[in-house]
Amino acid sequence: LIPTVIGEMKRFLRDKTWSVHVPRRIKELWPKVKKVVDELTTQYQRSPKIQEIADYLEVSEEEVLEAMEMGKSYQASS
């Protein structure tokens, strides 16, 4: 029961904290992109290129760009 409640809460927050409609795959990709950017920035001592992020995540550069653009629409809710 507890995992179900937690899952529903996560789903609600994921779906209700975006100011525009964003496809689920992008919603799920955005946190990964942020994490990889931090990791690669530390590793390379510079901002990573889009291609490097895409290669690391094994997704297309277009998906990375879309996630980054859509990430700007994210609003944290209390």
Side-chain angles (χ1 to χ4, degrees):
L1 179 64
I2 297 298
T4 302
V5 172
I6 291 171
E8 287 299 319
M9 290 170 63
K10 286 180 180 179
R11 197 169 6 270
F12 173 82
L13 291 173
R14 181 193 65 219
D15 294 342
K16 300 298 180 188
T17 56
W18 292 81
S19 60
V20 295
H21 175 71
V22 179
R24 178 176 282 183
R25 65 180 172 79
I26 298 300
K27 289 179 186 178
E28 293 173 351
L29 182 59
W30 173 236
K32 295 176 187 176
V33 169
K34 288 194 309 186
K35 182 179 177 188
V36 167
V37 167
D38 290 342
E39 289 177 14
L40 293 180
T41 299
T42 300
Q43 180 179 341
Y44 298 145
Q45 295 297 303
R46 62 171 170 77
S47 296
K49 298 175 183 172
I50 299 299
Q51 181 180 358
E52 293 168 336
I53 299 166
D55 290 346
Y56 189 94
L57 291 171
E58 299 179 344
V59 297
S60 70
E61 290 181 40
E62 291 78 19
E63 288 175 292
V64 171
L65 289 169
E66 189 175 3
M68 293 174 97
E69 185 63 32
M70 290 297 122
K72 295 176 187 176
S73 301
Y74 185 72
Q75 298 176 356
S77 66
S78 57

